[in-house]
Amino acid sequence: MKELVLGIESSCDETAASVVEGGRRILSNIVASQVPLHRRYGGVVPEIASRRHVELILPVIDTALQEAGVQPEQLDAIAVTRGPGLIGSLLVGLSAAKALAFVTGKPLVGVNHIEAHIYANFLAHPDLHPPLICLTVSGGHTDLLYMPEPGTYTILGRTRDDAAGEAFDKVGRVMGLPYPAGPEIDRLSTHGDPAAVALPRGLTEGLDFSFSGLKTAAINAWHNAKQRGEEISREDFAASLQEAIVDVLVDKTMRAADQSGVSTIIISGGVAANRRLRQRLGESAAKAGYRFFYPPADLCTDNAAMVASAGYFRWQRGAVDSLSLNADASLRLS
Ligand code: KG4
Ligand code: ZN
């Protein structure tokens, strides 16, 4: 049997644990989602999230070990998300990981959540290797990264305000869609006209992103139409919003790839589950001769298998943390 790594994830509203063998083979992948708990508030409430993590973390770890048929003593390392994320939430997973590392004497590996999202692709695609360009798009992040080799990252662009997922979620909330609205907008859009509502494409220059102007314009367009008593098709509105977001993501990712001279493009994070983004970027990448990869939908959103995988490769490169490791809510990838 290859090396076994337990991954633990609690940076936002999913409490998750997973055992991964050799960095690539998932033996168990348990995700306890808190989404229904936060839904009535229209977003994640940090205090509620950390309290729920405390309740769930030990049962989730137990289940992950049991499903994998692995005893704690058989683990080779314990990987945990140490940032970025909600500090109260991060501390729950980190404390559990440290306690387990202490009692078992196994090495502790702190993992950056964004790096973990990237590794969801390495779990899904054994023939994937850097150099590559990665677009990481989630509820909290929109980062365009150059990865020349494992463990090395250069940030080429990032959002200056809202994340792409936030734009989906906040506009969706005004449309009366349940949190998180991204998957619902994806679904509605398949029956809508992406050219029905004229919406702006924010910050077309450079490789940074800006979605707050689009978010405000979309919310205003929705309210104005309602005030005029116009009937707006939710499908058309969803498709137009999605197209405005996807247009910018595809354009900048392709430009980043052209500038860096790589031959591989990957996407990761919750918004990488979006079907239109996969389709549009897949078409552009194929036309320009790039290899294009994305993780299966359940590995796009927050999970601990990606943490175990990223942790495994960090550990293989000799990165082990002490038990004094702290969480860092605004941890950067470098
Ligand atoms: O990676 P993730 O689970 O959590 C963060 O690290 O933020 O991403 C959650 C985000 C939410 O904003 C959600 O609306 C979005 O990913 N999302 C989607 C889709 N599935 C999830 N956005 C667009 N289309 C989807 N199919
Ligand atoms: Zn995430």
Side-chain angles (χ1 to χ4, degrees), residues 8 28 32 40 87 147 181 184 216 235 294 302 326:
I8 298 174
S28 64
R40 71 168 126 150
I87 191 69
M147 181 181 184
E184 192 66 15
T216 309
E235 287 77 7
Y294 51 80
D302 287 350
N326 211 345

Side-chain angles (χ1 to χ4, degrees), residues 184-197 233-243 276:
E184 192 66 15
I185 289 176
D186 185 344
R187 204 180 56 76
L188 285 170
S189 296
T190 53
H191 308 289
D193 172 7
V197 184
S233 143
R234 296 206 313 172
E235 287 77 7
D236 283 351
F237 199 84
S240 303
L241 173 71
Q242 178 176 269
E243 205 67 7
R276 185 72 174 152

Side-chain angles (χ1 to χ4, degrees), residues 5-289:
V5 174
L6 172 72
I8 298 174
E9 158 65 37
S10 70
S11 66
C12 190
D13 59 346
E14 326 281 0
T15 320
S18 160
V19 179
V20 170
E21 187 193 17
R24 297 216 187 229
R25 201 164 86 85
I26 299 174
L27 301 188
S28 64
N29 189 14
I30 308 299
V31 182
S33 175
Q34 300 183 10
V35 162
L37 201 63
H38 299 280
R39 190 160 271 160
R40 71 168 126 150
Y41 306 103
V44 178
V45 183
E47 287 77 7
I48 295 177
S50 26
R51 205 175 314 146
R52 191 72 182 131
H53 282 306
V54 171
E55 290 164 1
L56 290 169
I57 193 78
L58 295 180
V60 163
I61 292 173
D62 272 346
T63 311
L65 289 168
Q66 266 170 32
E67 264 199 21
V70 168
Q71 300 295 324
E73 309 77 58
Q74 291 174 279
L75 293 170
D76 293 285
I78 295 158
V80 61
T81 303
R82 62 173 287 244
L86 301 169
I87 191 69
S89 293
L90 288 164
L91 283 169
V92 177
L94 184 64
S95 306
K98 282 187 190 178
L100 201 56
F102 178 69
V103 295
T104 57
K106 306 293 177 181
L108 176 75
V109 185
V111 169
N112 182 304
H113 184 76
I114 305 298
E115 183 174 33
H117 270 303
I118 297 169
Y119 272 82
N121 276 289
F122 289 87
L123 278 169
H125 309 292
D127 58 335
L128 173 65
H129 45 80
L132 54 84
I133 286 291
C134 178
L135 172 72
T136 300
V137 260
S138 71
H141 315 278
T142 307
D143 290 325
L144 203 42
L145 300 153
Y146 170 51
M147 181 181 184
E149 58 189 46
T152 308
Y153 306 94
T154 307
I155 300 200
L156 303 177
R158 58 155 55 103
T159 183
R160 295 191 182 170
D161 39 58
D162 296 339
E166 211 174 328
F168 277 113
D169 295 342
K170 296 277 163 64
V171 179
R173 184 174 167 178
V174 171
M175 293 168 68
L177 304 175
Y179 172 83
E184 192 66 15
I185 289 176
D186 185 344
R187 204 180 56 76
L188 285 170
S189 296
T190 53
H191 308 289
D193 172 7
V197 184
L199 293 171
R201 271 59 175 158
L203 198 66
T204 47
E205 295 299 307
L207 293 178
D208 273 352
F209 299 93
S210 168
F211 292 106
S212 78
L214 167 64
K215 183 182 74 179
T216 309
I219 291 173
N220 285 344
W222 179 267
H223 283 320
N224 288 345
K226 287 267 161 194
Q227 274 162 8
R228 288 195 299 268
E230 285 171 16
E231 191 60 50
I232 341 173
S233 143
R234 296 206 313 172
E235 287 77 7
D236 283 351
F237 199 84
S240 303
L241 173 71
Q242 178 176 269
E243 205 67 7
I245 296 172
V246 168
D247 262 354
V248 182
L249 295 177
V250 170
D251 178 57
K252 300 215 174 185
T253 306
M254 290 308 297
R255 266 197 274 151
D258 291 346
Q259 285 171 20
S260 63
V262 300
S263 56
T264 304
I265 297 173
I266 67 173
I267 54 173
S268 64
V271 180
N274 184 270
R275 288 172 290 175
R276 185 72 174 152
L277 174 63
R278 291 168 177 224
Q279 178 209 349
R280 291 270 317 275
L281 195 51
E283 283 167 8
S284 297
K287 219 160 129 191

